[in-house]
């Protein structure tokens, strides 16, 4: 690699700040939300890589992938005013296009860029594509786990803010607030399957999709983090169907035990 993580963080901060506008409060709020998310994911990716006893250059590469994994989100929100890939474009591939356009491919050798491109493409898919293997698979797993760790924190904080009357429509994907769960979504969770966004109708479905990420955690470090922080249990508390909430809680506890 022809750069360092510290240098790329400085670049990233300047790049993201260029999207901020004096007159658009909601745009600034959501741009900064994704900026902070990317910086936290960077730290999670470093921690996961260290837990795997990877070499220093691979730890650094993990951090840079964490930093750039959502770089497409800023263009996405500026141009489409949404974080919904369904209503715009897939942000993973948009991020790859952004990195190419700003010539960030030049900081990697070809083998490193292949890993970065594969990991960013796969980080937001329902599951890693079946043809991914070797180092590309490892780094794809690292960024997916790191991303989930921070999203558990983010969604917990957001659902708590809803209770105080604060809402951010861009984060809700247009889902209904009715106290319901789609049968197909609940059944997938109980079968320990990843829930597809295309099956969601209610905000409770989205909460359960996020809880179901426990089935897609790849490393002991990540599973222990989820078990030992309050975010997962707090999200379960926000499922506002009491009889389903307890079933979900017991299923999650049993799976992580």
């Amino acid at each position: 690699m022809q750069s360092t993580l510290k240098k790329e963080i400085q670049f990233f901060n300047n790049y993201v700040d260029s999207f901020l506008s004096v007159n658009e409060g909601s745009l600034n709020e959501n741009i900064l939300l994704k900026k902070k998310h990317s910086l936290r994911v960077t730290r999670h990716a470093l921690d996961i890589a260290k837990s795997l006893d990877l070499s220093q250059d691979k730890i650094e590469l993990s951090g840079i992938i964490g930093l750039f994994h959502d770089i497409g989100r800023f263009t996405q929100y500026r141009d489409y005013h949404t974080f919904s890939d369904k209503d715009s474009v897939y942000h993973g591939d948009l991020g790859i296009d952004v990195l190419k356009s700003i010539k960030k491919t030049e900081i990697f050798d070809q083998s490193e860029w292949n890993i970065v491109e594969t990991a960013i493409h796969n980080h937001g898919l329902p599951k890693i594509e079946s043809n991914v293997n070797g180092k590309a698979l490892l780094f794809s797993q690292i960024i997916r786990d790191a991303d989930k760790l921070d999203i558990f924190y983010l969604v917990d904080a957001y659902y708590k803010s809803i209770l105080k009357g604060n809402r951010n429509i861009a984060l809700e994907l247009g889902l209904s607030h009715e106290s319901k769960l789609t049968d197909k979504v609940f059944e997938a969770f109980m079968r320990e399957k990843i829930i597809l966004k295309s099956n969601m109708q209610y905000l409770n479905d989205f909460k359960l999709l996020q809880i179901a990420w426990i089935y897609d955690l790849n490393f002991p470090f990540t599973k222990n983090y989820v078990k030992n922080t309050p975010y997962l249990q707090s999200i379960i508390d926000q499922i506002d169907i009491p009889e389903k909430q307890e079933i979900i809680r017991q299923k999650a506890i049993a799976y992580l035990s």
Side-chain angles (χ1 to χ4, degrees), residues 54-190:
L54 298 184
S55 63
Q56 186 57 41
D57 63 323
K58 289 184 174 63
I59 292 171
E60 183 122 327
L61 182 60
S62 297
I64 289 178
I65 293 171
L67 183 67
F68 288 148
H69 81 287
D70 261 359
I71 199 164
R73 287 296 197 189
F74 307 105
T75 300
Q76 181 188 44
Y77 196 77
R78 181 196 64 194
D79 294 347
Y80 299 97
H81 300 286
T82 184
F83 290 132
S84 171
D85 293 344
K86 176 176 65 70
D87 296 325
S88 55
V89 294
Y90 173 45
H91 73 281
D93 289 343
L94 181 57
I96 293 167
D97 291 341
V98 168
L99 290 173
K100 290 177 179 177
S101 72
I102 60 178
K103 302 188 184 305
K104 278 299 164 186
T105 57
E106 297 175 1
I107 71 172
F108 306 103
D109 64 33
Q110 188 58 52
S111 63
E112 289 169 340
W113 171 248
N114 290 341
I115 290 169
V116 172
E117 185 175 24
T118 300
I120 291 178
H121 169 70
N122 278 273
H123 90 269
L125 300 180
K127 60 182 180 179
I128 297 173
E129 293 173 326
S130 59
N131 64 338
V132 179
N133 52 52
K135 292 179 182 177
L137 176 60
L138 173 64
F139 285 95
S140 295
Q141 291 172 327
I142 289 173
I143 186 55
R144 285 171 69 90
D145 274 27
D147 198 22
K148 289 178 177 67
L149 291 186
D150 191 59
I151 296 176
F152 278 131
Y153 157 75
L154 277 175
V155 297
D156 172 43
Y158 179 65
Y159 294 142
K160 288 176 178 175
S161 76
I162 291 178
L163 299 177
K164 299 176 183 178
N166 301 316
R167 292 181 62 184
N168 184 332
I169 300 302
L171 300 181
E172 296 182 16
L173 307 183
L175 296 168
S176 168
H177 276 234
E178 289 183 80
S179 298
K180 295 182 179 180
L181 263 172
T182 302
D183 288 342
K184 188 177 289 188
V185 167
F186 182 70
E187 290 164 6
F189 176 80
M190 295 305 294

